[in-house]
Amino acid sequence: PAFAQQFVVFSARHDAAARQVVLVGSGFRADMRILLNGAALPNAAVTSTEMRAKLPALEPGTYRLVIDPKRGGKAQTKGLRP
């Protein structure tokens, strides 16, 4: 049987100057998407160890981030505080 490629998220941070969310980890692919409170964010850059997505204007608070792996892998969730 085929197995989905695994990925791991080590950290998530808000880059206020670039208005992006930055995820650091391993196993990222260009077809993955970051969801913020259920809405897909436009990818700014993706490498195997870092994902960046453009953020809309956000009020201070805690937001739910989910990585959609697209290829049938298991989604991972992280929190973000801008």
Side-chain angles (χ1 to χ4, degrees):
F3 293 96
Q5 181 180 359
Q6 297 293 314
F7 68 95
V8 177
V9 177
F10 300 129
S11 66
R13 69 179 173 85
H14 177 217
D15 181 341
R19 293 189 58 191
Q20 296 178 349
V21 60
V22 181
L23 303 181
V24 176
S26 66
F28 298 143
R29 299 182 317 270
D31 65 337
M32 293 177 152
R33 294 290 174 261
I34 300 172
L35 307 178
L36 175 73
N37 288 345
L41 299 174
N43 282 349
V46 179
T47 68
S48 64
T49 60
E50 183 179 271
M51 291 183 73
R52 290 178 168 264
K54 296 177 184 178
L55 282 173
L58 298 172
E59 293 294 321
T62 301
Y63 296 85
R64 183 173 183 228
L65 294 176
V66 175
I67 313 255
D68 181 359
K70 296 288 186 193
R71 294 188 191 166
K74 185 178 177 184
Q76 287 193 24
T77 302
K78 283 281 186 186
L80 174 70
R81 290 187 72 110

